[in-house]
Amino acid sequence: MPIPSGPDAPAPRRLLRDVVFDKLLAAIEDGTLQPGERLNDDELVTWLGVSRTPIREAIAKLVDHGLVEMEANRYTRIALPDFEMYRHALQVYSGLNELTARWAIPLLDDADVDEFTGLVDVALARLAEHDVAGLPDFQAVPAYLRTKVGNPLLDSAERLINARVMFNSKPVLDHWQWDLTTEYLTRIREAVRRRDVALAIAAFQPLDEANLRHLEAVEVVGALLTTRS
């Protein structure tokens, strides 16, 4: 008999290591786990309610992604902010969002365009106030387009890159380039309204310039030049 595929079929079970990875990643993103904070196996077992094995597997994955540092017999800790990682992450983040726009725009209908325009308008209002607490509104703009692409590999890549960006950006958001970011949002909104992929790609030029100037300012003040011990 064929395996049932209807609503009565059970949802696929997730591996414990993936569940733990998501919880640890969320804790890094929201600041529950702070840069440089040491990770203790016993404390993590108590907090997460799982054995050491999935915790160690999840931590190994976070090490691979540069969000946790480990040195045998010395420490396992949340990574410290790092300028080079931040520079690379911003570059890839911008590239992923450009690719997302390229794929998503031909798929949008009129209702999608209206919803996207509303999200951009909210983000622009927060940017006008130079409100760093409005960063989730800015992130909602490319995130909406990703939902229209529907590619789980793109979603996974973006989440990990975004985690690196958010992790490293927290100490240096005072150096963000608000005006250039506003120009990007204004241009991507118009590109989506016109369903013009070429115009959307061009809209990323001010965002790339914003990233470049931001990184230059961060490097000058040495805000992410951490000392490791």
Side-chain angles (χ1 to χ4, degrees), residues 86-107:
Y86 187 38
R87 180 171 66 85
H88 294 315
L90 272 179
Q91 183 180 42
V92 175
Y93 183 70
S94 179
L96 285 175
N97 286 339
E98 181 181 322
L99 181 63
T100 298
R102 185 194 300 264
W103 288 347
I105 287 175
L107 306 175

Side-chain angles (χ1 to χ4, degrees), residues 38-39 41 44 55-64 66-80 228-229:
R38 292 183 181 245
L39 301 177
D41 279 357
L44 291 175
I55 290 173
R56 289 173 177 170
E57 290 173 342
I59 286 175
K61 190 173 178 181
L62 289 166
V63 170
D64 288 342
L67 296 173
V68 167
E69 299 172 337
M70 182 184 296
E71 187 166 331
N73 301 319
R74 290 195 60 198
Y75 58 74
T76 300
R77 68 186 181 191
I78 304 302
L80 297 171
R228 284 167 166 72
S229 60

Side-chain angles (χ1 to χ4, degrees), residues 93 97 100 112 115-124 126-127 133-148 158 162 166 184-185 188:
Y93 183 70
N97 286 339
T100 298
D112 295 331
E115 190 171 359
F116 179 81
T117 298
L119 291 172
V120 174
D121 289 344
V122 170
L124 284 170
R126 301 299 293 271
L127 284 176
L135 189 56
D137 296 305
F138 172 73
Q139 293 174 315
V141 173
Y144 179 81
L145 294 180
R146 278 195 306 278
T147 66
K148 299 304 172 182
E158 187 282 332
N162 183 58
M166 292 297 295
Y184 152 71
L185 285 172
I188 195 70

Side-chain angles (χ1 to χ4, degrees), residues 172-186:
V172 295
L173 286 175
D174 288 345
H175 302 287
W176 193 249
Q177 305 297 306
W178 303 98
D179 292 344
L180 283 167
T181 307
T182 296
E183 182 182 348
Y184 152 71
L185 285 172
T186 302

